[in-house]
Amino acid sequence: MRRRVVITGLGAVTPLGCKVSEFWERLVRGESGIRRISLFDPSGFRSQIGGEVVGWNPEEYIPDKEVKRLDRFSQFALVAAIDAVRDAGLDFSKEDVSRCGAIIGSGVGGLREIELQHLRLLDKGPDKVSAFTVPKMMANAASGQISIHFGLTGPTAAVATACASAANAVADAVRAIRHDEADVIIAGGSEAAVTPLGLAAFGAMRALSERNDDPPRASRPFDAQRDGFVLSEGAGVVVLEELEHARARGARIYVEFLGYGTTSDASHITQPDKDGAGAARAMQLALRDGQVDPPEVGYINAHGTSTPLGDEAETAAIRRVFGDCARKTSISSTKSQIGHLLGASGGVELVVTVLALCHGVIPPTINYEYPDPNCDLDYTPNVARERKVSVALSNSFGFGGHNTCLLVGHLRNGSS
C-alpha cells in the first residue's frame, strides 16, 4: 500500500506580503505587487520593473548575526519554512528528526552574493573576497540552513530545474515520504534574482516585459498584448507529511497530495515545445499518479508567465489533456499579480492552489483585457470567483524543457 501524503503547513514570502494570510487576501482582491525596481537603480535596463519583497525584515525570525551570513534567497526560504512549520503546529523536539528533512529548489541560488563578491574581487583584490561567499551563493544553502535551523537529519537536498525547481522539490519530497524514507519534509522553492545581472541577463534574452510606464499592468498572462514576464523574488514552502503521522499528532490537514508528473521537452533550451506535448504529458502523468480523470479537476493554477510562446503552448497542452472539458475548467495565473519568481514560483503557486481548494475561491488573472484567439480558455479574468472544487493542478515549466505538475485535492476516504 502506497503511503499517503498530506499538506499540513504553508509559508510564503512574496511581493504581495510575507504572511500567507496577507498574501491570499491581496491576491483575491486582484492587487498587483509589480512596481519600478528599488533594490538598485534600474535606469538603462530594458526592463525596469519587478516584483520585490517590500519591507523585508528577517531579524524578526533570525538573529542579526545569522542574517548577515545568508544570501537573500536563503533568508526568504528560512523565513517561509519557519512560518510553514508554525502553521503545521510541528515541534521537532518531539519528532524523530532522522525522518524529517528539507528539499528546496532554486533556479540560480545566491546570485546577489556572486555579484557583490565579484565586484569586491575586481575593486579590492582576491584577499578581500568574503569567506562566506561559497556558503551564501551555493544553491543548496537554503535547504542546508533549514535543516540546521530545525536540526533535521533526514532527506535534505536542493533542486535546480529552472522555473520548475520548487515543483520538482515537492515531487522529490513526496516520493521520499511515499517510499518510507521520511515522515515529514519541508519542501518548496526560493529565489532572489532581482539583481543587476539577473535583470540584464533576462533582458538580453528579450524575455522580460518592457512595459516600464505601467508596472502593475505589465504582467498579463494569456492576454493578446503580453510582451514578456516580470522578474520577481520570494519563496513558497509547504510542510508535507505522511497521513497517519499527521493524524497521530492531531494536525490540521489542508489537502491531500494526490499525484505529480515530470517530463522533458527535449527540444530547445529556453523555448517551450510549441504544441505543449511535454507539458501535456506531465499533466497526464500527474492525473494518472493521482487516479484522477480530467473532468474531476476544477482548477488549474497555470504556469502562465505572460510570454507570447509560453502561454500559447500551455493553453494547447491543457486542451490536449482536458479535451471537451478544458473550457469548463477554471484557470488562473498567479504571475499576473506577483510576476515570475523563477525557481520559487512552483512553491508559491502550490500554496495558492491549496488555498483555492480550502476557501472555494479561484484567484483571478488580472490585466486580461484583449483576448488572444490562441488562448481561448477560462482564465478567470480580472476578478476572483467563488467555486468549490475538489481537485486542482499546479503547473510549472522551466528553461531546459523541464515540466512538473502537482495534483492536490480534498482528503479522500479509505486508502489509495
Side-chain angles (χ1 to χ4, degrees), residues 136-393:
K136 290 176 74 172
M137 75 182 213
M138 60 190 192
N140 62 312
S143 55
Q145 293 290 351
I146 291 169
S147 69
I148 292 168
H149 181 86
F150 291 109
L152 313 180
T153 60
T156 297
V159 178
T161 50
C163 306
S165 297
N168 273 131
V170 170
D172 288 355
V174 168
R175 188 182 302 115
I177 296 173
R178 281 179 174 177
H179 290 185
D180 201 16
E181 298 169 5
D183 296 320
V184 178
I185 296 185
I186 300 165
S190 186
E191 206 79 88
V194 182
T195 69
L197 181 58
L199 192 67
F202 282 111
M205 295 176 63
R206 306 307 291 265
L208 301 179
S209 172
E210 297 180 17
R211 199 183 289 262
N212 298 318
D213 58 339
D214 194 3
R217 297 175 67 228
S219 185
R220 42 201 314 115
F222 306 107
D223 183 87
Q225 294 192 3
R226 64 191 184 276
D227 70 327
F229 72 81
V230 174
L231 185 62
S232 299
E233 62 177 5
V237 171
V238 300
V239 172
L240 294 160
E241 196 166 347
E242 192 273 327
L243 173 60
E244 296 309 321
H245 181 278
R247 282 175 167 165
R249 68 180 189 85
R252 181 266 325 278
I253 294 171
Y254 280 106
V255 297
E256 182 170 2
F257 191 97
L258 302 179
Y260 64 85
T262 62
T263 66
S264 174
D265 286 348
S267 61
H268 192 280
I269 197 66
T270 57
Q271 294 180 7
D273 187 336
K274 185 177 291 187
D275 63 1
R281 284 194 303 111
M283 284 186 267
Q284 289 166 340
L285 289 171
L287 295 175
R288 187 181 73 179
D289 187 37
Q291 301 177 21
V292 167
D293 293 323
E296 296 179 67
V297 178
Y299 172 53
I300 300 173
N301 187 289
H303 186 59
T305 58
S306 187
T307 58
L309 293 178
D311 293 358
E312 187 173 330
E314 184 170 13
T315 298
I318 293 171
R319 284 199 298 258
R320 179 185 291 232
V321 174
F322 289 87
D324 293 340
C325 60
R327 295 179 185 277
K328 301 175 184 178
T329 305
S330 294
I331 303 166
S332 68
S333 172
T334 304
K335 294 181 182 72
S336 66
Q337 297 177 254
I338 62 172
H340 194 350
L341 279 69
L342 305 180
S345 58
V348 172
E349 289 159 14
L350 178 57
V351 169
V352 173
T353 304
V354 169
L355 292 173
L357 277 170
C358 293
H359 292 286
V361 175
I362 309 299
T365 301
I366 67 169
N367 301 324
Y368 187 86
E369 299 175 297
Y370 304 97
D372 180 344
N374 294 318
C375 297
D376 57 352
L377 302 178
D378 178 6
Y379 305 111
T380 319
N382 303 309
V383 179
R385 180 187 306 152
E386 290 189 6
R387 181 180 181 181
K388 294 186 182 300
V389 298
S390 58
V391 178
L393 190 68

Side-chain angles (χ1 to χ4, degrees), residues 64-77 106 108-117 120 128-145 148 190-192:
D64 182 61
K65 184 178 179 181
E66 291 184 31
V67 169
K68 293 175 181 177
R69 296 181 178 182
L70 305 179
D71 182 86
R72 191 171 169 93
F73 97 101
S74 291
Q75 295 174 18
F76 290 159
S106 183
V108 296
L111 185 60
R112 177 181 298 271
E113 185 65 15
I114 292 172
E115 290 183 45
L116 291 173
Q117 296 306 322
R120 181 175 287 189
K128 297 300 182 181
V129 171
S130 171
F132 295 105
T133 302
V134 171
K136 290 176 74 172
M137 75 182 213
M138 60 190 192
N140 62 312
S143 55
Q145 293 290 351
I148 292 168
S190 186
E191 206 79 88

